[in-house]
Amino acid sequence: MKYIKFQIENFKAIKNATIDLSKGGLVLFLGINESGKTSVLRAIEVFDHVNDFEDEDRRARSIKSIRNKKELNSQASISAELVLEKGDSEKVSVALGLDEEKSKLFKQISILSISRNFLFENANFVEEWYILDSDKKKAIFGELDKTHETEICKKILSTAPSIQYFEDFKDQIPDFVSLTPGAEYYDPDWASTIEGLFYHTDKNVSVQQFQNLTDPDARKTVLNKVNKILNKQFTERWNKKLKGAKQISRADLEYDANTKLFTFKIIGSDRATVFAVEERSKGALWYLTFLLKTEFRKKKLRAQSGKTLYLIDEPASNLHSSAQITMLEDFRTLASDSNVLYTTHSQYLVDKENLSNVYIVENAREIVRVLKYQEYIKGKSIQTSYFQPILDALQIQPFSLDFSWDKVLIVEGIYDYLGFSLIFFDVLKETRKKFVIMPGTGAASLSPLISLHIGWGADISVLLDNDEEGRVNQKKYIEKYPNLSEVINIFDFITLKPQKNNIEFENLFEENEKKAIANLAGIKTSSIGKKTFQQSLLIIACSEKFKKPFSNLICEQTQIRFQKILSKAKKDLNMSP
């Protein structure tokens, strides 16, 4: 069984939002502070009653926070669609206690739709209930009241994938963990984590079996195997792959047979000094917690109830940029047999290969909108701050030694940079390392880039649109740098399409090409405006899987136009044709 969609209605400030999980992989929510990203994750968490607080006061406060504060009388609803996979119908039938005839009817259902609802009147919580949406419901269960229907939904969800929410992993690793319910150091979440760690090591040896061993050597052997796996996943990655400060030799799980308590210890780089976990860096503890609660639990959770759904709010904030980049690999690994939904402000955690699974979250007049990236960019007024991490993820690394920074083609902005890069390097197959393309922030703002590269002694070519702004700034730059006017050649696009009075970058493409490019990017629209075309280029440039199909869309005439521009730019940069 796996979740394929969530529908959120009137939950806090979220009026209506649809979250599509059918493609799997990583799902990213981008938005500025207070935009409502956390509310989206919380709504999905709240859908599963298993995540309710056991403490009545905390549970009451949690439910109260669900209400849309702008309405005294409201009903919040979180609906989920789940696909039944092989063997799921039998599991659910057993959980529901269905007889043979009704089990046959239930097997005819391929997708389950369940909603959890919360009713508020005069700003007070009144009741909550589940609804099962199926044309087979009456035939299987007969007439249902709210209580009975809620019980049925809860039994179905007991066989569904686990939904795990993590708030930047702020829950600290406890000093001690007991696996005995009701005991002093018992925490069901961390008890499950310890069980998952043992299952991850050897599914044939449970932690309960380990605790029942009376032979100290046998216990030590099992625990050594557990710690070997733990350190292979944590210590080696932390010290090497994530380039953490090399102050950790080992991270060990210890067990006291007398008290039946587990505890985690960190062994210092001298291989002798023992530290409590809280004495290590926040970054190291975050990563250890991440592995314990995801990587080491996923096998057991997957075996129990299907594709676990992880909700991770602002992850890896304690890790430096290079470690955050590496963390994406861990997220992809986690998403290989789980669903991972996460929020971030960091450009280093934007998965550029997966922009089709990016949502933009914005708060407009206290109403939260959640839109697929492809839908969001269709708007007439786009606030860059909401998707700035995507643009930041595309930044050029100006001090990379792999490129020839003494030959620089300066273009007006990020979208010109994306377009020229796609055409020059992927369509026309120009060698990428012979020169660099440097994006500015508009035709009028290129002086800092020009001055910088003059100071570096670089060969420079500048491309501007042949519109009013481009012509005005062409004159400005030539007047400002009179001694370099022959080097700084402002390319005149009008020579390519003389029938146009104003030629901008997007005019170099045929109309049918632009529609095909938008379609390739997943943007369905009958007319292609400038913003839509620009964002289509961004989506394609971020994913290798789109590069070849993009090249196949570019007609010969368009290639000739860009080849003329490339030849002129190479001449300006003193390069061979």
Side-chain angles (χ1 to χ4, degrees), residues 8-17 34-37 39-40 68-71 360-371 383 386:
I8 305 168
E9 297 181 8
N10 225 22
F11 183 94
K12 296 189 176 184
I14 303 172
K15 199 69 177 174
N16 194 309
E34 302 298 324
S35 61
K37 303 186 302 299
S39 294
V40 176
N68 184 330
K69 298 301 186 291
K70 298 183 74 173
E71 300 178 8
I360 303 300
V361 184
E362 64 175 2
N363 191 326
R365 297 178 182 178
E366 297 184 8
I367 296 176
V368 173
R369 296 199 311 158
V370 185
L371 299 173
Q383 298 183 49
Y386 288 108

Side-chain angles (χ1 to χ4, degrees), residues 447-464:
S447 287
L449 286 178
I450 295 172
S451 299
L452 177 66
H453 289 91
I454 289 175
W456 284 352
D459 292 325
I460 304 169
S461 182
V462 179
L463 299 184
L464 294 178

